[in-house]
Structure formats: C-alpha cells, structure tokens
Amino acid sequence: MIQQKTITIIGSGFSSLAAASYLAQSGHKVTVYEKNDSIGGRARQLKIDGFTFDMGPSWYWMPDVFERFFADFGKKTTDYYELIKLSPAYRVYFGVDEFIAIADNLPEIVATFESIEKGSGAVLEKFMLEAQSNYDIAIKDLVYRPGVSPLELITVETAKKVGQFFSNISRDVRNKFKNEKLIQILEFPVLFLGAKPSDTPSFYSFMNFADFGLGTWHPKTGMFDVVRGMESLAVELGVKFVTNAAIEKIIVENKTAKGIVVNGTEIYSDVVLSGADYHHTETLLEEQHRAYSEKYWDSRVFAPSSLLFYVGFNKKIQNISHHALFFDTDFYQHAKDIYDEPRWPDEPLFYANFPSLTDASAAPEGMESAFFLVPLAPGIEDTEALRNEYFDKIMDRFESLTQQEVRSSIIVKQSFCKNDFVSEYNSYKGNAYGMANTLLQTAFLRPKLKSNKVGNLYFSGQLTVPGPGVPPALISGKLVSELIDKQFSKA
C-alpha cells in the first residue's frame, strides 16, 4: 500500500502530464504548475488569424507507446483523440522536382529502395528485421527501466547485440547501402535522438522500425490533441492545473524538498517533481543542493536548437506533402555546423510541415498552414536579422525545389528560435530536444530521475531517462512516478 502524499509538479510538458496521471492514480494529491498561460510545454498551440500551429513536436511516431500509456489507466487513445496514418509518411527533396516519397507501408518502401539501388530492397528487409528486434528490446523493455544501474542494460537479448553499442548508425548503414540518398533517409530518424548518425550506436536502428515499420501518424487536429487528451485523463484522476505560475525557488529544509515559491507565494508539499528543464530546475536550488555543476552541463552533448517559422499562406501550396525534408544541400556539413564547430550553417537543411493538407481546421478555407524548421547548434547567437536572413534562404530554396512562388501569399509569419526556447521554456542553451542519446549519455549515464542531494526531489523529461522525444517523455513520467511510489510504499 502507498502512503498518500501531496505532490507538486513543475511544468506541464508530456513527462509532467504522464507523471501527474500515474501519481494521481496511486492516490496522491497532485498539482501541476505551469509558467506559461497554456499547458503542454513545448507542445503548445499557436492560433493566429484563423491559422493553427503546433509549436513544437509534429511527428507522431511509436503509436504503441501512447497506447501503452492510456492502457495503464484502462483507456485507449481513441477515448481522447483520433489518429490518421499519413500516406505518404513524408517526402525527402534532393533537387528541383526530385524527391523520394516514403510510403505508409514497408513493402512499398522496399520497392522504392529497389528502384533506386538494385539489390537494396532485400537488404532493407533484412535491416528492418534487425531494427524490429532492437525495437522490441528497447521500446518494450529497456526504456521502461529507471536508469539507476548499468545492470539494467544487461539482458540475454542485449548480450547478443553488444557489438551494436560500439558501432554506429552511419557506419552500419553505409556497409549495407551505397546510394547516398537512401543512406540519408536511413540516417534521418536518429536525428530525433539529438546526435549525429556517426555518434549514435547501431542499436538505435530501432528508430528505423519506428519510421518504416510503424508509420507516421497525425492526431486529427494536431499534436495538441494529445496534450488535451492527457490533460483530460489527469483531471478525471483529480489532478489540478495552475497556469501563469512562475516557479522562483524550490524550498529545501534539512536537505529535503518541502515545496516551491510560486509568484512570491510559498506552497508546501511532500514531494517536488520537476518536468521542466533539468538545468534550470537546479538553479532554483541553492548551489550546495545541486547535483550537477555548470561544468558538467557544459560538457554534455546537447541536441540541436531550432529556428522555426509559423507561416500562413492565403492560397493552397503545390507539390508538397504533410511532412517534407529538404536535403538538397550537404547533410554532413550541416551536422558539423551543429555538433563539431557550432555556427549558423551556410546552406541549411530544413523541414517543412503542412498540417492543413490533413486537417482542414488548421487554416481558413482555401489557405495553407505551415511551419518551417532549421536545426541549429544550441547556445548560438540569435538575432532578428539572422532569422530574416535564414527565412529568405529557405524560401528561395523552397520556391525553387517545389517550382512555385509563395512569398507574396504569406499573410501570417511568426518566428521562434534559441532566445525564445530560453525565455519560454528555460531551456539550457536554448536546446529544442534535450540531451543527445550518445553512448556515453544513455540510460544510467544520464542525469538521474531522483536527486542525490535533496530528498523528495525528482525530475522527468528530455534531459533525464530515457531521453529526447515525445514517447520517451511519456515513459519518463511513468518511471519517475514508480520511483516516488516505491519511496512511499508501506511494508
């Protein structure tokens, strides 16, 4: 039996929403405090002049993780939102009128590969069997472990694949495929893990199964549907939400978290759980209570920041798909500009998302809603002049590659970049995706879910276990709630 406690949760992103429901289900009294005026953290929604934009995550991958989350409460995703499987899943543009469309099923993808590189279809099928095996081990088992001990990674299954932890995705893919376009398509999914393919262990090929094997989905009216669904579940379980609640301090007495200071008011509780940026959360503590130094954070490999543009067009845009990747420039040079020698890239790769192709409510009738994203090094200079310069760069290429003029049709445009990640989300160095999942930043080597300096202080989210991405955030919330319940279980 679990002792009922009052629990304060800082931040309302996916990990916090998940943890709130799990903890409320266990009988705790849970209140979530969010500094902004809307819940959802980076997954907030932006509405301007009839256009609707998901401000953050836009790819719905690993649907099984979402199903598993809701099943823990006797629910299904369909109780809260509707999913649409995208067909094609996405397009990858390599030149003018030159793109590869990724189908919504593996047999068609295999056929596409075979048509581009003879013999690659059979190689892809074999590669995907390995990727599915890794997925079953990682996503159905390993990521649901709390990162407390290295022994968590040692299983009969991982022992068979130990070599994959010491090779990398880039090397593995290049040993199997020769066509540069196919290689880049296979390397693309691990970018969600926040590291270069050459720095990501081969075992993470499970992301390729998430892509080709499970497909790309879209909640009917955007990713914010998931936020609303999780909020509804939490409220059903008794969770309370407080917005416009800036956390100024975590109260510590006798090396134990006792509550928080919100907008100048002290609020006491038995447990403090932060789903906000881990580094920022520790700055709410006096220095002697912080588990990680500034030197530690500065030495970590962080996932990219992003330059985002939310754009509304007063006409329909041609020659596009819901998700589109523009890989017509040097993939590896851009990666170098993010990770090796941080700078603004001369010729950036970029991503475009057109939700109004799938969801008519995302834009007024006859119009188009879009957002464009350029990955950038965290901690980089961010000015209005640079934002405008890079908008022009990607619009020049977008118009050329899709063979149409669109700039004169823009009626809504709003940018979001490193400075906004810092001001809106207290994000360390303005990173967009958290800490990269490199070999030395995996599982027990990531910042801990439980503070080792302050009692009753816990963490969740993309800087801790299991890592960056929306599905891992849901899992992080589950893991931390289990640690809290374990602490307060009665014998």
Side-chain angles (χ1 to χ4, degrees), residues 246-467:
I247 313 300
E248 293 150 20
K249 183 181 178 181
I250 295 173
I251 301 167
V252 177
E253 297 173 4
N254 299 319
K255 297 184 179 179
T256 302
K258 294 294 185 180
I260 55 175
V261 178
V262 183
N263 297 334
T265 301
E266 293 182 352
I267 298 172
Y268 287 86
S269 60
D270 298 309
V271 174
V272 175
L273 164 60
S274 179
D277 180 273
Y278 203 124
H279 169 269
H280 169 73
T281 303
E282 288 219 311
T283 68
L284 302 175
L285 299 163
E286 293 176 8
E287 194 165 344
Q288 70 267 27
H289 296 139
R290 299 172 191 171
Y292 301 97
S293 66
E294 287 298 321
K295 184 178 179 181
Y296 169 86
W297 291 112
D298 194 51
S299 70
R300 299 301 90 186
V301 178
F302 274 81
S305 185
S306 294
L307 169 60
L308 290 152
F309 295 100
Y310 308 105
V311 181
F313 297 96
N314 66 5
K315 68 176 183 180
K316 302 305 286 185
I317 306 301
Q318 307 301 311
N319 307 326
I320 53 169
S321 60
H322 185 115
H323 295 296
L325 303 165
F326 292 85
F327 284 6
D328 54 307
T329 59
D330 191 331
F331 184 103
Y332 305 101
Q333 181 58 50
H334 191 155
K336 185 178 177 182
D337 292 339
I338 293 173
Y339 296 103
D340 301 335
E341 299 168 13
R343 61 193 289 273
W344 281 79
D346 292 328
E347 296 184 71
L349 281 71
F350 67 96
Y351 156 66
N353 175 22
F354 292 88
S356 47
L357 288 179
T358 306
D359 167 23
S361 72
E365 188 175 354
M367 301 187 188
E368 209 83 83
S369 169
F371 83 67
F372 297 85
L373 181 153
V374 178
L376 295 172
I380 206 164
E381 179 189 16
D382 172 17
T383 67
E384 199 63 34
L386 281 165
R387 296 186 190 196
N388 291 332
E389 176 187 343
Y390 277 76
F391 185 74
D392 287 337
K393 278 179 185 273
I394 64 174
M395 281 296 107
D396 285 344
R397 295 211 343 256
F398 179 79
E399 290 182 330
S400 170
L401 293 165
T402 62
Q403 298 183 291
Q404 64 193 310
E405 191 279 325
V406 299
R407 265 179 279 203
S408 64
S409 299
I410 294 173
I411 56 173
V412 165
K413 176 190 161 196
Q414 187 164 317
S415 66
F416 198 96
C417 197
K418 190 259 316 192
N419 291 347
D420 301 301
F421 280 102
V422 173
S423 64
E424 296 293 304
Y425 309 129
N426 295 310
S427 169
Y428 181 70
K429 293 187 177 180
N431 80 81
Y433 306 102
M435 189 185 290
N437 252 340
T438 59
L439 181 61
L440 296 178
Q441 294 183 170
T442 295
F444 67 97
L445 296 173
R446 297 179 73 80
K448 303 300 182 188
L449 291 164
K450 186 179 191 301
S451 172
N452 60 15
K453 288 284 189 77
V454 178
N456 296 355
L457 175 60
Y458 291 83
F459 299 85
S460 67
Q462 58 189 8
L463 295 190
T464 181
V465 179

Side-chain angles (χ1 to χ4, degrees), residues 20 55 125 174 191 199 205 268 280 333 347 435:
M55 294 188 70
E125 287 181 315
R174 286 178 179 279
L191 298 179
D199 289 337
S205 67
Y268 287 86
H280 169 73
Q333 181 58 50
E347 296 184 71
M435 189 185 290

Side-chain angles (χ1 to χ4, degrees), residues 16-231:
S16 292
L17 292 172
S21 288
Y22 283 115
L23 291 165
Q25 184 185 46
S26 294
H28 302 296
K29 183 180 178 183
V30 181
T31 306
V32 177
Y33 295 88
E34 167 58 51
K35 74 181 279 288
N36 294 312
D37 59 7
S38 165
I39 69 160
R42 295 167 200 233
R44 291 184 301 161
Q45 198 174 57
L46 176 66
K47 289 179 177 284
I48 310 175
D49 298 340
F51 293 91
T52 301
F53 307 93
D54 282 319
M55 294 188 70
S58 61
W59 295 77
Y60 191 103
W61 274 8
M62 305 184 188
D64 52 317
V65 174
F66 295 87
E67 289 292 353
R68 183 168 170 175
F69 167 75
F70 283 102
D72 283 342
F73 303 91
K75 305 286 187 177
K76 299 177 181 177
T77 55
T78 49
D79 294 330
Y80 297 98
Y81 54 88
E82 181 182 336
L83 287 173
I84 300 163
K85 193 174 190 183
L86 298 181
S87 180
Y90 54 91
R91 283 182 180 179
V92 186
Y93 289 80
F94 294 99
V96 176
D97 202 27
E98 181 190 0
F99 64 82
I100 295 174
I102 301 301
D104 65 350
N105 64 90
L106 186 56
E108 282 189 57
I109 298 169
V110 167
T112 297
F113 270 55
E114 184 64 27
S115 71
I116 294 168
E117 179 184 320
K118 190 169 177 58
S120 68
V123 175
L124 179 62
E125 287 181 315
K126 188 176 179 183
F127 178 74
M128 290 303 296
L129 286 173
E130 185 72 27
Q132 182 172 3
S133 169
N134 289 353
Y135 189 90
D136 288 343
I137 294 167
I139 304 304
K140 295 179 181 178
D141 183 17
L142 291 185
V143 295
Y144 285 91
R145 301 183 182 199
V148 173
S149 163
L151 296 178
E152 293 172 6
L153 297 179
I154 301 172
T155 68
V156 173
E157 290 80 8
T158 57
K160 296 172 187 173
K161 296 174 180 284
V162 67
Q164 292 189 34
F165 288 93
F166 297 98
S167 185
N168 63 66
I169 288 287
S170 187
R171 185 186 306 148
D172 208 28
V173 168
R174 286 178 179 279
N175 283 339
K176 293 176 170 63
F177 302 90
K178 301 305 173 198
N179 183 277
E180 196 63 38
K181 295 183 178 69
L182 299 184
I183 288 169
Q184 289 182 21
I185 288 171
L186 287 167
E187 289 182 332
F188 149 68
V190 302
L191 298 179
F192 284 109
L193 301 172
K196 290 192 301 183
S198 59
D199 289 337
T200 303
S202 298
F203 182 72
Y204 284 93
S205 67
F206 64 72
M207 292 297 292
N208 295 107
F209 179 72
D211 180 0
F212 292 174
L214 297 176
T216 302
W217 301 76
H218 184 70
K220 187 176 181 181
T221 62
M223 287 293 286
F224 199 69
D225 285 1
V226 186
V227 173
R228 274 192 289 252
M230 293 181 72
E231 177 191 26

